[in-house]
Amino acid sequence: MNPNDLVEEELKQIDWHQVEQYPVFKSCAHCDGLQAQQRCFETTLTKWVIEELSKQHALVTDSIHEQLVVYFKITRKGEIFVDSLKQNIGLAHQLPELKQWLTESIENLPEVYPAQKRGVPVQTTFQLPVQIISE
């Protein structure tokens, strides 16, 4: 078997949907294990986004008690951005600037180290549920 065939066979066996190292912030680098890294990353990101969103002052006509899902992408270079939102039409109508606020909220995040697969940085996409409540 030639080397190219071996490489192709190896690539077929890799589960590209599972990473060996989750994306991490420097503050999460001490975490051992994939689940601990994931928990630390998501907790840090959630706290950051909530803190930044709480600085926004929106004028809404009706009370809001909705959950949306934010899909983030982290590139192989550790750049993070809002890929898309899954929200109901009412929320999108009441807060049309929500995606912009989310995008702005992550602009000043601490450095993110990308996920890794077999020691190679890989792009990942993940989702974060966000509860929006306004009376």
Side-chain angles (χ1 to χ4, degrees):
M1 190 175 257
N2 77 38
N4 288 338
D5 291 340
L6 289 174
V7 169
E8 287 297 319
E9 188 62 33
E10 183 70 18
L11 288 174
K12 289 177 188 176
Q13 294 179 18
I14 296 173
D15 181 357
W16 290 103
H17 299 289
Q18 294 291 325
V19 295
E20 294 164 356
Q21 179 181 324
Y22 207 77
V24 292
F25 293 106
K26 189 174 187 177
S27 62
C28 298
H30 68 282
C31 295
D32 287 332
L34 192 61
Q35 289 182 339
Q37 290 172 353
Q38 180 178 0
R39 210 171 18 259
C40 184
F41 178 81
E42 290 175 352
T43 300
T44 302
L45 180 62
T46 300
K47 286 180 181 178
W48 186 276
V49 168
I50 289 171
E51 184 176 309
E52 292 298 312
L53 284 179
S54 69
K55 296 176 185 177
Q56 301 299 330
H57 300 285
L59 184 58
V60 294
T61 56
D62 298 319
S63 65
I64 300 172
H65 191 86
E66 299 289 337
Q67 181 172 322
L68 69 119
V69 179
V70 184
Y71 293 89
F72 291 98
K73 268 197 181 159
I74 301 175
T75 68
R76 293 180 295 197
K77 295 180 181 180
E79 301 160 333
I80 185 170
F81 62 93
V82 176
D83 186 44
S84 61
L85 301 179
K86 182 179 179 183
Q87 61 184 325
N88 72 30
I89 294 170
L91 184 59
H93 179 70
Q94 289 250 57
L95 297 173
E97 57 278 288
L98 187 56
K99 185 172 182 180
Q100 177 186 339
W101 291 343
L102 288 162
T103 298
E104 290 171 359
S105 75
I106 61 171
E107 285 178 354
N108 297 314
L109 273 171
E111 183 178 5
V112 178
Y113 302 112
Q116 292 191 11
K117 183 73 173 183
R118 297 208 170 180
V120 177
V122 293
Q123 178 171 292
T124 52
T125 302
F126 65 96
Q127 56 186 333
L128 181 70
V130 177
Q131 193 75 20
I132 304 290
I133 301 172
S134 175
E135 300 300 326

